[in-house]
Amino acid sequence: MLSMAASVLAGLLLLRYFVFATPPSAFEPNALPENTLTSETGHSQNVSTCPGYTLTGLKETSSGITAHLNLAGNACDAFGSDIANLTLEVTHDTKTRLHVNIFDTAQNQFTIPSSVIELAGPDDDVHKETSDLVFNYEPSPFAFWITRRSEPDGAPLFDTRTSSLPPTPIPPIVSNDSSTAFDGFPLVFEDQYLQLTSALPFDANVYGLGEAVASAGFRRDVGANGGTGTIQTLWARDAADPIDGNMYGSHPFYLEHRYNSTTHRSQSHGVFHFSSAGSDIFLMTPPSSPVSLIQYRLIGGTLDFYFFSGPSSQEVVEQYGALIGLPTWQPAWGFGFHLCRWGYHDINVTREQVENMRAAEIPLEVQWNDIDLYHAVRDFTTDPVTFPGEEMRAFIQNLTANHQHYIPIVDAAIAKQVNDTDVYDPYTRGVELDTWIKNPDGSEYVGQVWPGYTVFPDWFAPNTLELWTEALQNWSAAGVEFSGLWLDMNEISSFCNGSCGTTANISNTTQPSILPGDPGNLVTEYPEGYNATISGPSGNITVNGTLTFDAGEVTTTSVLTRRGLGEAVEKGVNLNDPPYALHNGNGPLWVSTLATNATHAGGFVELDVHNMWGMMEEKTTHLALQALYPTKRPFIIARSTFPSSGKWTGHWLGDNFSKWQYIRFNIQGVLQFQLFQIPFVGADTCGFNDNTDEELCNRWMQLSAFMPFYRNHNEREALSQEPYRWDSVANASRTAISIRYSLLPYWYTLFANASMRGTPPVRALFFEFPDEPELFAVDTQYLVGSDILVTPVLTPNVSTVDGIFPGQGRVIWRDWYTHEVVNATPSTPATLSAPLGHINVHIRDGSALLLHAQPAYTINETRSGPYSLLVSQAADGYAFGTAYIDDGETIPPTPNRTVMIHSQRGEIRLQSWGDYDITQKLTTVTVLGAAQTTPERVLIQGNTARSWEFDERIQRLVISDLVIDLNEPVQVSWA
């Protein structure tokens, strides 16, 4: 990102020209309404003379302190007007959470209303003297640092003292971008610019701060040891998965993992800045500096920080979830395989996909439709010719009869009614209920999206939930009997700048952009590494079983195709072009989105609330679905997210590309969102933009089978990529989905733990093995829960893959398919066989997994079948596991049962508790590492087992033909 900083705006101008057929002049300020404020030039844009603040009036409270912070000298007005009087509040919320809030005493700056996000408050106990986090401070100039009570002499976890930071001035990190210089590190609190800097350990292990497709990987680049550093801009943007640029979501939360080379032990902690303000977050290590640093630069809001003590990475994530809210409960069917395409242009083509998937015997749980579904590309409609309402009803009801499901898209923008004869109830009803975002003069704000001129729901307006619920109810009644919803374009995206339709000819409904596949925007680029002279136009990348990536001369056709109160009441602020320019990939903040002076109910302006728009839509949609279907868990997948989004929705990783580097980005994206408490996440399998090929799709269908959200989706008129298109992909998909469905009790339990405790279901290796530095940067492998290690192939034209086996030789890993023990050198990557169609999966010792014994075509059929038990014993015979079981559909509290599995040498015991009756029986028990010699007897509930076999070579005991009631205690023994 840093090397691209100088060219990003010019590149965007060119991209804009091709994507939206909009000339570069659209970037000029006159594209905005006349009431746009122009840039001010009365600011130094240099913080070196900023005086900082002096602490006075300190008061002790039962849970912390309060104090005044007064400007310590003459105002510097670097990027705004310095605020002279601040308030400091420090609260020990819990034993593991510390709240440090610095805000303007007059409380004019924007803060997020509790009606939008309700954070957890302090618990009932007093923790000032018992908390593991200690707040330390210097009064003048004011600075603070956070330490652990358990390590009083340890390095601070967060440290804003100038003496702890590198000397300044520091020249620009990017030579042609003066804004990447560091003039000084004072606390700056202005109406349009806030700055806070903390020292980090040199080359710190930092994770989070997103949403990001980071070239450096899951571990963020802090600019040490040859790194260039990171500028993470938080400004929600509709951009097709840009590398190192701001994109759909905004998450100012990070986890830091510290390894003590003396004790060889690690601890983690977390830092969360609770703000919706647009911001740049710098991770840098200045030349010759012994420390790295993190710097927050905000264009509004306050400095409202929460610190989490961990000390494990898992506990940090759980503590963050306890503050912002835990993830929504997912219905069991959501874990099935989903199929979508922008380009299923009528109901017959859509129905054909369902039929073809069944004919190919590839399980399909959910069929989706993109905007092809709509009439005139309008939300809550179906095209009367291509998707007639009654045919849609019959199609969806047939899916339902087969225990399958249907999900349509809901775009963020609502079409504006063209004329008096035009009938479009969602718009006119919204006018009646006064639910649309407005211009500063009170008129409707009118942007431009797929249907032409559009308006945008104002989630702050009191009647918007009513509008949304009514629209969804009417849509379902008209035939679209959806099981869940897909929320797209909610950054929010607009194809013009400013309220371009306010005075325009509304009857002009010409498409504002050229769609992929239309003349002038053909998807003609061959798949990556593809040789058309060998494979023709099919997308096949194997010939007689031989991979052909980069074989001979690669043919490509170049084509640009991409899918494409606070400030409101303060005087003298610049709403549209704040003096500090964020490193927004679109340049000005108002490009390709709403103008930042657009107004919301309650007097809020878009500049302050922009990053929350998507989350507020997700919350409203979730509440609407609950109102319509009071007992059923809402299923939502959305694009733009913000802290607390996980309470309402899942997420897909946006409009990615059919490139090998993006299959790797898939892993870091999913790991990011585990931190953000949005665990139900996945990528567009096989890639969305461009053309995929057989090999890439083969590997990706396998990878995604071990991700939470599993959907194949691609763009209009690109090469078809349904998994039945290639025999090798079909075979790989059937195998991977069969494993996924057998593991559903495990996945379901992981997500129950996420919803009840915030425990991340998918984990980076160091989460489970925190004291192994060789794992800290690994993001080509990952763990599902604590027990399943996934090592996917992420490069083309290979038949092996390298993977490390955590545990430094102290853990026994067994192959999922053969159950053989892995013989690998500790702490060193091993080369594993990985022919096309095979993904390496390994089981950790000490695990006990309740599985579905007979994976079937749908989740309902699979859940209706019997259970099996797989126990992988450690060397001492120990293994442990749990399984949470309920009806998979109703909103908790609902009847449920937890099965606990405990193993020791020669014995397994199962116990359960709860009020849910498990009707399916346990029919098979497999024990790995059971014994070195064949047992003489095997007992079930004290009685001799009827059918069992033992493989001495791999120490595997298999007991079959069982009929065990999981509602009762169970004992299995052998000797």
Side-chain angles (χ1 to χ4, degrees):
M1 174 181 177
L2 295 178
S3 62
M4 299 167 57
S7 61
V8 69
L9 182 56
L12 184 83
L13 288 169
L14 181 62
L15 177 64
R16 174 76 172 191
Y17 181 77
F18 282 100
V19 175
F20 298 130
T22 303
S25 61
F27 281 77
E28 296 172 2
N30 60 17
L32 292 173
E34 292 181 2
N35 53 24
T36 297
L37 298 176
T38 57
S39 296
E40 298 176 1
T41 58
H43 302 293
S44 68
Q45 301 192 0
N46 184 305
V47 302
S48 61
T49 62
C50 294
Y53 288 80
T54 299
L55 184 146
T56 63
L58 179 68
K59 293 182 180 179
E60 298 278 349
T61 69
S62 60
S63 58
I65 63 171
T66 64
H68 302 299
L69 298 177
N70 301 315
L71 199 63
N74 294 328
C76 66
D77 296 337
F79 295 96
S81 299
D82 286 81
I83 297 176
N85 304 117
L86 309 178
T87 297
L88 167 69
E89 289 184 352
V90 178
T91 308
H92 293 274
D93 282 358
T94 72
K95 286 185 177 181
T96 58
R97 185 175 78 227
L98 175 66
H99 184 193
V100 178
N101 190 10
I102 302 173
F103 57 93
D104 56 312
T105 303
Q107 298 188 35
N108 290 325
Q109 295 285 103
F110 177 79
T111 58
I112 298 172
S114 60
S115 60
V116 176
I117 300 178
E118 185 177 3
L119 298 183
D123 62 23
D124 295 331
D125 296 328
V126 177
H127 302 290
K128 189 163 64 171
E129 304 302 327
T130 60
S131 168
D132 190 38
L133 296 176
V134 179
F135 178 83
N136 312 273
Y137 67 94
E138 290 177 345
S140 185
F142 170 73
F144 71 92
W145 64 103
I146 309 299
T147 56
R148 290 189 188 274
R149 190 177 305 276
S150 56
E151 296 181 338
D153 298 325
L157 308 185
F158 197 85
D159 189 353
T160 70
R161 292 173 292 182
T162 302
S163 59
S164 301
L165 292 159
T168 55
I170 298 168
I173 303 298
V174 180
S175 59
N176 58 359
D177 182 357
S178 61
S179 72
T180 64
F182 296 91
D183 306 314
F185 297 125
L187 168 61
V188 180
F189 201 119
E190 299 176 345
D191 53 3
Q192 293 194 101
Y193 182 76
L194 291 77
Q195 177 179 298
L196 186 71
T197 314
S198 171
L200 293 172
F202 181 82
D203 202 18
N205 299 305
V206 174
Y207 310 87
L209 299 177
E211 180 177 7
V213 176
S215 58
F218 179 50
R219 180 181 181 270
R220 304 309 301 268
D221 181 357
V222 300
N225 293 324
T228 56
T230 297
I231 304 175
Q232 182 62 55
T233 299
L234 300 184
W235 187 257
R237 178 169 73 116
D238 175 3
D241 283 23
I243 299 174
D244 293 330
N246 61 304
M247 49 191 299
Y248 316 114
S250 301
H251 293 275
F253 169 78
Y254 73 86
L255 178 149
E256 187 194 334
H257 188 66
R258 293 190 183 180
Y259 176 72
N260 187 317
S261 58
T262 300
T263 64
H264 304 292
R265 293 290 182 264
S266 295
Q267 291 184 316
S268 293
H269 65 274
V271 179
F272 172 46
H273 177 223
F274 183 49
S275 172
S276 59
S279 60
D280 280 341
I281 303 176
F282 285 72
L283 293 169
M284 294 291 175
T285 307
S288 303
S289 173
V291 299
S292 302
L293 62 86
I294 181 169
Q295 183 175 88
Y296 296 82
R297 300 180 182 181
L298 322 171
I299 58 172
T302 63
L303 298 171
D304 191 2
F305 281 85
Y306 290 85
F307 300 91
F308 310 94
S309 70
S312 72
S313 297
Q314 176 176 310
E315 287 171 311
V316 170
V317 177
E318 291 171 343
Q319 291 156 12
Y320 178 54
L323 175 70
I324 65 166
L326 300 175
T328 183
W329 286 79
Q330 298 296 336
W333 59 262
F335 293 95
F337 174 67
H338 303 241
L339 182 62
C340 187
R341 171 104 196 240
W342 185 16
Y344 293 151
H345 53 77
D346 62 32
I347 191 171
N348 295 324
V349 173
T350 306
R351 185 186 296 111
E352 183 182 349
Q353 307 314 310
V354 178
E355 295 168 350
N356 289 348
M357 289 289 287
R358 189 173 286 274
E361 298 182 341
I362 303 172
L364 173 63
E365 186 71 15
V366 190
Q367 180 63 48
W368 297 45
N369 275 124
D370 209 312
I371 59 175
D372 314 89
L373 173 69
Y374 291 154
H375 176 50
V377 210
R378 291 179 170 186
D379 277 358
F380 312 117
T381 67
T382 60
D383 189 287
V385 176
T386 55
F387 290 91
E390 288 308 311
E391 284 193 47
M392 284 298 297
R393 189 191 313 280
F395 167 63
I396 296 170
Q397 289 181 352
N398 186 62
L399 286 175
T400 302
N402 290 321
H403 306 296
Q404 295 170 292
H405 303 267
Y406 178 78
I407 292 178
I409 193 170
V410 176
D411 270 341
I414 302 299
K416 184 173 173 62
Q417 183 174 292
V418 173
N419 52 48
D420 291 340
T421 62
D422 182 22
V423 178
Y424 183 48
D425 183 69
Y427 170 75
T428 54
R429 186 68 175 130
V431 172
E432 292 173 6
L433 295 173
D434 191 19
T435 63
W436 308 128
I437 293 173
K438 295 180 171 59
N439 289 308
D441 63 4
S443 60
E444 276 183 354
Y445 185 99
V446 184
Q448 197 176 35
V449 195
W450 303 120
Y453 291 111
T454 59
V455 293
F456 304 91
D458 179 5
W459 310 114
F460 289 96
N463 298 324
T464 308
L465 175 59
E466 179 182 350
L467 168 76
W468 214 239
T469 305
E470 186 177 299
L472 291 172
Q473 184 175 38
N474 291 341
W475 202 23
S476 180
V480 185
E481 298 176 355
F482 48 79
S483 294
L485 295 169
W486 172 22
L487 305 181
D488 197 9
M489 308 286 285
N490 59 349
E491 289 70 35
I492 185 168
S493 180
S494 179
F495 298 163
C496 68
N497 299 324
S499 188
C500 57
T502 297
T503 58
N505 176 12
I506 298 298
S507 64
N508 177 9
T509 59
T510 304
Q511 282 286 341
S513 62
I514 303 175
L515 303 182
D518 286 347
N521 195 9
L522 300 178
V523 185
T524 59
E525 184 175 348
Y526 282 109
E528 183 181 16
Y530 188 77
N531 190 318
T533 63
I534 295 176
S535 298
S538 67
N540 299 336
I541 205 143
T542 57
V543 176
N544 297 325
T546 302
L547 299 172
T548 62
F549 185 92
D550 271 350
E553 182 180 352
V554 175
T555 304
T556 61
T557 302
S558 177
V559 63
L560 286 170
T561 57
R562 299 199 183 187
R563 189 179 182 186
L565 299 163
E567 311 287 352
V569 298
E570 295 184 77
K571 297 180 179 179
V573 298
N574 186 333
L575 294 180
N576 287 318
D577 292 292
Y580 176 79
L582 297 177
H583 288 76
N584 178 30
N586 282 2
L589 301 182
W590 36 263
V591 170
S592 298
T593 186
L594 303 190
T596 43
N597 65 350
T599 63
H600 299 257
F604 302 119
V605 290
E606 180 68 12
L607 181 66
D608 288 322
V609 303
H610 171 80
N611 285 338
M612 300 193 300
W613 200 97
M615 179 275 296
M616 295 183 72
E617 182 196 30
E618 292 142 20
K619 180 178 180 180
T620 303
T621 304
H622 187 107
L623 295 175
L625 290 177
Q626 277 192 315
L628 293 175
Y629 311 105
T631 64
K632 290 187 177 182
R633 301 172 193 176
F635 183 88
I636 302 169
I637 296 295
R639 197 167 72 176
S640 181
T641 58
F642 189 74
S644 79
S645 279
K647 291 178 62 176
W648 317 113
T649 186
H651 173 63
W652 97 102
L653 295 172
D655 294 345
N656 62 358
F657 290 81
S658 298
K659 306 291 185 186
W660 283 95
Q661 66 182 149
Y662 277 87
I663 192 174
R664 177 170 178 168
F665 291 149
N666 187 163
I667 300 175
Q668 67 158 272
V670 169
L671 291 176
Q672 274 183 34
F673 277 86
Q674 306 307 298
L675 304 184
F676 302 152
Q677 287 291 347
I678 310 175
F680 194 77
V681 59
D684 277 350
T685 301
C686 304
F688 174 79
N689 285 293
D690 300 332
N691 287 311
T692 195
D693 64 67
E694 177 189 0
E695 184 187 9
L696 177 61
C697 201
N698 187 308
R699 298 297 193 186
W700 214 328
M701 282 295 295
Q702 296 171 73
L703 168 66
S704 289
F706 296 89
M707 291 296 186
F709 174 52
Y710 188 12
R711 182 183 73 166
N712 182 313
H713 176 225
N714 70 321
E715 73 173 322
R716 187 173 180 260
E717 297 304 318
L719 193 70
S720 297
Q721 62 184 44
E722 295 83 10
Y724 63 78
R725 298 286 178 177
W726 299 276
D727 287 344
S728 78
V729 179
N731 290 332
S733 300
R734 282 189 286 264
T735 300
I737 294 173
S738 178
I739 299 171
R740 178 184 180 87
Y741 283 18
S742 70
L743 279 166
L744 281 174
Y746 185 62
W747 276 112
Y748 196 74
T749 301
L750 291 172
F751 271 82
N753 289 335
S755 295
M756 291 186 289
R757 289 180 284 276
T759 309
V762 179
R763 300 165 197 172
L765 303 191
F766 76 87
F767 269 52
E768 289 293 320
F769 301 91
D771 303 326
E772 301 178 21
E774 63 269 23
L775 305 179
F776 295 169
V778 172
D779 60 5
T780 54
Q781 298 171 272
Y782 61 95
L783 289 160
V784 179
S786 59
D787 302 321
I788 302 296
L789 174 65
V790 183
T791 308
V793 172
L794 305 174
T795 55
N797 219 16
V798 298
S799 58
T800 62
V801 63
D802 290 342
I804 195 167
F805 286 89
Q808 297 181 338
R810 297 182 298 272
V811 174
I812 300 170
W813 293 96
R814 293 181 171 89
D815 185 277
W816 171 270
Y817 307 91
T818 67
H819 295 162
E820 294 184 345
V821 174
V822 173
N823 183 15
T825 303
S827 305
T828 302
T831 299
L832 308 172
S833 176
L836 190 66
H838 178 76
I839 183 170
N840 276 277
V841 181
H842 291 85
I843 314 160
R844 182 181 181 177
D845 70 358
S847 60
L849 309 176
L850 188 66
L851 307 172
H852 287 308
Q854 298 173 2
Y857 194 78
T858 66
I859 301 297
N860 179 275
E861 296 169 81
T862 299
R863 282 171 55 94
S864 298
Y867 287 101
S868 65
L869 179 64
L870 176 62
V871 176
S872 181
Q873 292 190 323
D876 62 358
Y878 173 84
F880 179 81
T882 62
Y884 174 93
I885 302 170
D886 62 16
D887 65 9
E889 177 176 87
T890 55
I891 298 173
T894 188
N896 64 85
R897 182 169 294 274
T898 297
V899 179
M900 184 176 69
I901 308 137
H902 187 273
S903 167
Q904 58 188 16
R905 186 172 285 117
E907 182 183 59
I908 299 171
R909 290 182 180 271
L910 285 77
Q911 294 179 300
S912 74
W913 60 90
D915 53 358
Y916 180 78
D917 183 49
I918 304 174
T919 59
Q920 303 87 344
K921 304 304 181 184
L922 176 64
T923 58
T924 306
V925 174
T926 300
V927 187
L928 309 180
Q932 293 184 348
T933 59
T934 303
E936 295 181 1
R937 65 182 184 277
V938 177
L939 304 177
I940 306 293
Q941 307 292 58
N943 300 314
T944 301
R946 292 182 299 175
S947 178
W948 61 274
E949 59 183 27
F950 185 78
D951 187 327
E952 191 169 302
R953 185 179 67 86
I954 56 177
Q955 302 178 11
R956 177 176 61 196
L957 173 65
V958 180
I959 313 167
S960 53
D961 294 334
L962 302 174
V963 186
I964 294 178
D965 185 350
L966 289 173
N967 300 292
E968 302 296 332
V970 178
Q971 182 183 19
V972 178
S973 61
W974 61 96

